[in-house]
């Protein structure tokens, strides 16, 4: 089969979430029985009550896979996104932000259902963040939202592990993977979170073995997937299941394995780690773009490390400087 040149480097499928960050004091949390530093899921009514009570703050698009394609766009890559929002103010915020990042986004909005997903983040003076997440419309993504032509026109389709929870979204994963492989493209998945892995270990392993070409994970997620703390053994098992396994190890960089090739990539040092939110998302942006453009595993890993180093040096999960410029400064050219 003769493959056409893809329009997009990466098309991501994920939870479309808007982060709402506001300052608060400890009394505000205590009054609402919120444990400082915790993260919990809330329903729409709880979310609305908390949103109304919060101090004026900042609204910024988030969502793991959304952050990744924003990073791809910052590198000058061609990215697309599939995610569900509602026709409300936060839905407009998300749609504007992701398109402003140069990402193609045209998933039909959810009509007559829950509001746009949001993560309400109250920040105490010591910088600690207490998060309440309402998934809302993001949780309603289904097979009908998967555009086979869009997937087939993307070098890599990237699936966000957080979406493995709802059954309709899992069916959408299957549809996206089938469309990608029918077009001769690659399927990548991120494990996203140790709790996701713990809940769906058997199903995730089955999906990876049947449908994934590339898996991205951190050490904790890898350990949870194979229920072992033996990193080398777990990495070898994952690598035996897919074409490429990329495992991040925080300040120790990353290990990338493909067949009998294993590459260790150092982390890019930063003066001060401010906020690690989005580090894995941005690593995925650089790494997947490198793979999509035919770079070596080492070059791709270095792009990932560079993007991760940029995002941990400031608040927020998306780049604040143009990653294409940063790559050029470090001699990492994208072809």
């Amino acid at each position: 089969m003769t493959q056409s040149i893809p329009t997009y480097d990466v098309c991501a499928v994920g939870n479309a979430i808007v982060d709402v960050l506001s300052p608060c004091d400890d009394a505000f949390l205590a009054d609402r029985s919120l444990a400082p530093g915790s993260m919990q899921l809330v329903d729409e009514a709880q979310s609305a009550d908390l949103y109304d009570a919060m101090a004026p703050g900042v609204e910024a698009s988030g969502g793991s896979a959304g952050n990744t394609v924003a990073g791809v766009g910052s590198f000058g890559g061609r990215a697309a996104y599939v995610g569900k929002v509602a026709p409300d103010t936060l839905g407009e915020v998300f749609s504007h932000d992701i398109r402003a990042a140069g990402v193609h986004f045209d998933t039909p909005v959810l009509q007559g259902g829950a509001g746009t997903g949001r993560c309400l983040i109250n920040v105490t003076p010591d910088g600690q963040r207490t998060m309440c997440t309402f998934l809302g419309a993001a949780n309603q993504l289904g097979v009908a939202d998967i555009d086979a032509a869009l997937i087939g026109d993307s070098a890599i389709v990237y699936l966000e592990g957080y979406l493995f929870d709802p059954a309709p979204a899992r069916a959408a994963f299957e549809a996206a993977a089938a469309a990608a492989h029918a077009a001769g493209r690659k399927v990548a998945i991120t494990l996203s979170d140790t709790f996701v892995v713990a809940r769906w270990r058997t199903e995730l392993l089955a999906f990876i073995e049947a449908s994934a070409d590339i898996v991205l994970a951190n050490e904790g997620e890898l350990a949870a997937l194979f229920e072992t703390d033996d990193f080398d053994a777990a990495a070898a098992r994952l690598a035996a299941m897919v074409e490429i396994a990329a495992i991040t190890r925080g300040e120790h960089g990353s290990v990338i394995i493909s067949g009998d090739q294993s590459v260790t990539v150092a982390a890019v040092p930063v003066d001060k780690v401010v906020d690690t939110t989005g580090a894995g998302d941005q690593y995925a942006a650089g790494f997947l773009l490198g793979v999509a453009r035919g770079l070596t595993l080492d070059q791709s890993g270095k792009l990932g490390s560079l993007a991760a180093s940029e995002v941990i040096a400031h608040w927020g999960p998306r780049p604040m400087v143009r990653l294409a410029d940063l790559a050029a400064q470090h001699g990492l050219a994208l072809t």
Side-chain angles (χ1 to χ4, degrees):
M1 168 177 154
T2 302
Q3 276 186 275
S4 60
I5 297 173
T7 300
Y8 302 103
D9 297 299
V10 180
C11 176
V13 182
N15 273 328
I17 301 284
V18 176
D19 293 336
V20 181
L21 297 99
S22 296
C24 77
D25 55 23
D26 292 326
F28 180 89
L29 300 180
D31 288 346
R32 287 155 186 80
S33 301
L34 296 174
S38 66
M39 180 170 67
Q40 61 181 289
L41 292 177
V42 296
D43 62 27
E44 189 155 21
Q46 291 170 314
S47 173
D49 288 345
L50 181 58
Y51 183 78
D52 288 342
M54 287 167 63
V58 176
E59 295 176 350
S61 297
S64 175
N67 295 335
T68 293
V69 286
V72 172
S74 183
F75 270 118
R78 304 170 306 242
Y81 183 76
V82 178
K84 207 76 170 165
V85 298
D88 54 20
T89 300
L90 292 180
E92 291 172 4
V93 168
F94 185 91
S95 301
H96 170 270
D97 286 355
I98 202 158
R99 289 171 182 148
V103 178
H104 172 82
F105 175 53
D106 67 357
T107 307
V109 297
L110 179 68
Q111 298 291 348
T116 296
R118 77 282 316 246
C119 183
L120 306 181
I121 306 171
N122 284 283
V123 185
T124 45
D126 61 358
Q128 189 173 55
R129 301 183 305 162
T130 302
M131 295 180 277
C132 295
T133 301
F134 168 60
L135 291 172
N139 222 16
Q140 303 302 311
L141 188 80
V143 172
D145 297 307
I146 300 300
D147 180 346
L150 174 66
I151 299 297
D153 203 15
S154 306
I156 298 171
V157 60
Y158 178 58
L159 308 174
E160 180 185 310
Y162 284 120
L163 259 180
F164 215 76
D165 273 318
R170 210 176 316 153
F173 272 20
E174 301 283 359
H181 286 150
R185 310 302 189 191
K186 300 297 184 186
V187 175
I189 185 170
T190 170
L191 299 186
S192 289
D193 187 281
T194 54
F195 299 108
V196 172
V197 177
R199 281 193 296 274
W200 301 108
R201 180 176 174 272
T202 300
E203 293 85 352
L204 271 169
L205 281 167
F207 180 84
I208 289 168
E209 197 147 34
S211 302
D213 303 298
I214 302 166
V215 172
L216 292 101
N218 64 29
E219 281 184 284
E221 293 153 6
L222 180 72
L225 186 64
F226 295 108
E227 298 180 307
T228 177
D229 289 327
D230 186 332
F231 176 83
D232 291 336
R237 287 181 65 182
L238 180 60
M241 298 170 68
V242 293
E243 287 184 27
I244 302 173
I247 305 130
T248 56
R249 310 188 76 179
E251 69 271 23
H252 301 298
S254 60
V255 175
I256 306 158
I257 308 172
S258 180
D260 58 3
Q261 182 183 12
S262 179
V263 175
T264 299
V265 178
V268 175
V270 296
D271 292 334
K272 181 184 179 184
V273 176
V274 175
D275 177 17
T276 59
T277 306
D281 300 336
Q282 295 310 320
Y283 179 90
F287 180 75
L288 292 174
L289 180 57
V291 172
R293 295 288 179 91
L295 302 186
T296 66
L297 297 181
D298 181 65
Q299 291 168 325
S300 301
K302 285 177 177 175
L303 285 174
S305 289
L306 185 64
S309 75
E310 190 282 335
V311 83
I312 65 175
H314 59 73
W315 286 107
R318 296 189 176 181
M320 293 185 73
V321 303
R322 192 164 176 265
L323 293 177
D325 295 338
L326 204 57
Q329 290 166 20
H330 284 75
L332 297 171
L334 280 160
T335 54

